[in-house]
Structure formats: structure tokens, C-alpha cells
Amino acid sequence: MDKTRTDAINQLFLQYRRTFESGDAQQIADFYRFPLHYYPERCGKQSANRTQFTAQVNRLLSIYGRLGVSQIVGAVTQISELNTCSNLVELRWVLLRREGDSSVELYTATTRYLVSDTPAGLKIDGLIAVDEKACIRRALAGASP
């Protein structure tokens, strides 16, 4: 794969992570092309329009607030070229909370995204979701009130 393409994908997810940390669901939605198709772990295929997506992101951001997430680290672990305009991108996300002078890992998750060229540039076109509920429950159980 072309280095320019790899750099563009890495830059997309760097900006995406920073935007996610800012906590603005509307700005997070700007990284996606709608309707968004996603594939939950319970099988099947679903779609969401921008309004549905931002509602889901707001719920997730609320949970992150309850967990005290102070930083989200995202590392692209693999990029697979599907064709000249689409890539499957795997990211490992690490959610951190400040405790004193250090950061403590709350949990990690690996998510896969379909990234495609659009007239507006690279956009996330599909999401292969990982069910984070068990990780979130464990993190909430360990979160200090």
C-alpha cells in the first residue's frame, strides 16, 4: 500500500481520537459517511443515520464521564487494502483515567473500521463493532464513586 495512503489513514484516526476526547458527538459524526453500516457482535448488519449515531455516541460519552476517562489512546494496528479506495483498519483503543499523578488503564478494545474515499476525503464508512459492555461493567465496578 502507498505510504501516502497509510499516512492519511493514521492522520484520520489521530484527529478522530482527539475529537473523541473533546466529547462532541456532532464533531465525531463528521468523520463518518451516513447512513453508517455497522456489524455488531451479535451478528447481522445494521445502519444508523447521523441523528441515531450521535445519540449512541452521546450515551457512550456519558458512560466515559461516569468512568472518569481522561484520555483515549488509539493505535492503528493493521491496515488492509480492500481496493484502490477502501481499507479495513484495525485500531486498539486504550481508555485511561487519572489517579493522582499517573494514568490507570480502564480497559482496552479492538475495533475495525471500513475507511473509504469520498468527495469530502477519507471517511469511516463502516464499523465492525466490538461489544464493550463487559469491559465497561468491570470498569464501572472498579470506579471510585
Side-chain angles (χ1 to χ4, degrees), residues 11-135:
Q11 186 62 34
L12 173 78
F13 283 102
L14 175 63
Q15 292 171 351
Y16 178 71
R17 178 191 61 80
R18 287 177 178 160
T19 303
F20 221 101
E21 283 181 335
S22 77
D24 186 321
Q26 291 297 329
Q27 288 181 351
I28 292 166
D30 290 341
F31 286 85
Y32 289 82
R33 178 163 63 176
F34 295 96
L36 172 67
H37 295 102
Y38 62 99
Y39 304 84
E41 275 193 85
R42 62 184 178 277
C43 298
K45 176 182 171 182
Q46 298 178 3
S47 66
N49 63 33
R50 187 179 175 103
T51 302
Q52 294 164 326
F53 177 79
T54 55
Q56 290 174 337
V57 170
N58 277 323
R59 282 192 294 276
L60 185 59
L61 291 170
S62 175
I63 291 168
Y64 287 178
R66 288 177 47 206
L67 287 172
V69 172
S70 59
Q71 184 179 10
I72 302 169
V73 178
V76 174
T77 56
Q78 184 175 349
I79 301 173
S80 300
E81 185 175 17
L82 301 176
N83 58 34
T84 58
C85 62
S86 298
N87 297 86
L88 182 63
V89 181
E90 180 179 287
L91 272 90
R92 181 172 181 267
W93 296 105
V94 181
L95 282 77
L96 303 169
R97 175 180 60 217
R98 295 288 303 162
E99 287 188 7
D101 292 337
S102 61
S103 293
V104 175
E105 181 180 302
L106 291 164
Y107 72 89
T108 65
T110 299
T111 307
R112 290 167 186 88
Y113 302 86
L114 175 62
V115 176
S116 300
D117 290 328
T118 73
L122 283 177
K123 293 281 186 179
I124 299 169
D125 204 20
L127 173 62
I128 295 82
V130 176
D131 190 352
E132 297 178 41
K133 287 181 191 140
C135 295

